[in-house]
Amino acid sequence: MPDLSDVRFLTVAEVAELMRVSKMTVYRLVHAGELPAVRFGRSYRVPEIAVTAALQRPIADVG
């Protein structure tokens, strides 16, 4: 497990901007368990490494 001082957490808005999707899409990914997140009060924080991993996953062929 990485040292928590090395982990950078992003807000939902920052994740949405990086992934170029809406904030609602990020919330859906978090609630579906596809994007790990930590809840602080009423807001979520996503580890930056999880966003990087999600962006590197192959895109499913839908068609």
Side-chain angles (χ1 to χ4, degrees):
M1 182 171 162
D3 185 14
L4 287 181
S5 63
D6 296 336
V7 178
R8 180 166 182 245
F9 289 96
L10 304 173
T11 65
V12 169
E14 291 170 330
V15 173
E17 186 178 327
L18 282 171
M19 296 180 83
R20 296 182 187 246
V21 297
S22 70
K23 290 192 294 185
M24 185 55 67
T25 299
V26 176
Y27 283 117
R28 286 185 187 121
L29 290 170
V30 168
H31 289 292
E34 296 179 35
L35 194 60
V38 178
R39 190 168 182 175
F40 291 105
R42 293 180 58 197
S43 63
Y44 288 91
R45 296 293 187 271
V46 181
E48 186 177 35
I49 193 146
V51 176
T52 304
L55 290 172
Q56 291 176 350
R57 273 186 248 145
I59 299 172
D61 184 23
V62 253

